[in-house]
Amino acid sequence: ALSRGRDLYSLFVSHEAPPGHILRVGRSPQVTGPYFDREGKQMTIGGGTRVFNDDDTFTGPGSNMVFDDGKQRLNVYHAYNATGDIRLRIAQLFFDQAGWPVSAGP
């Protein structure tokens, strides 16, 4: 999923990590990249800043989409609950002072 904020594109990717995924993001001033994480590591060589961490209720978030209706941004994704069932999750998506996306989820 791509989202644009502060003249930067944010690329969200799901990395396979049992029992689900790890959702990571990188940024670039050009839609074609290259994309770098918060520490400056290029995503094509293993970089990517975690969008959020697992908690006691949900784990393995991934396969996200960013929905922007001009008033708010939503991060729509799936995650596993404590019993291992997959659940649809919808959380507000904000950008911090440095322009990095921050999800209110899981």
Side-chain angles (χ1 to χ4, degrees):
L2 280 170
S3 182
R4 186 169 177 150
R6 285 198 175 189
D7 297 323
L8 293 170
Y9 292 92
S10 298
L11 176 65
F12 296 81
V13 297
S14 297
H15 288 258
E16 189 66 30
H21 299 91
I22 296 174
L23 189 58
R24 296 179 187 245
V25 66
R27 298 186 318 183
S28 175
Q30 299 175 317
V31 71
T32 56
Y35 286 84
F36 295 89
D37 65 16
R38 194 180 284 265
E39 285 74 41
K41 187 172 184 179
Q42 193 168 338
M43 290 185 72
T44 56
I45 58 169
T49 300
R50 286 185 85 142
V51 177
F52 41 62
N53 293 313
D54 297 342
D55 65 14
D56 292 337
T57 306
F58 291 98
T59 187
S63 302
N64 81 309
M65 177 197 81
V66 175
F67 175 77
D68 186 339
D69 68 0
K71 298 176 187 166
Q72 65 178 344
R73 285 187 180 99
L74 298 175
N75 191 18
V76 181
Y77 60 98
H78 78 266
Y80 297 91
N81 68 9
T83 62
D85 295 325
I86 298 174
R87 297 287 184 230
L88 174 67
R89 304 287 299 149
I90 301 172
Q92 285 190 296
L93 186 72
F94 305 96
F95 287 85
D96 67 16
Q97 290 184 338
W100 285 95
V102 177
S103 179

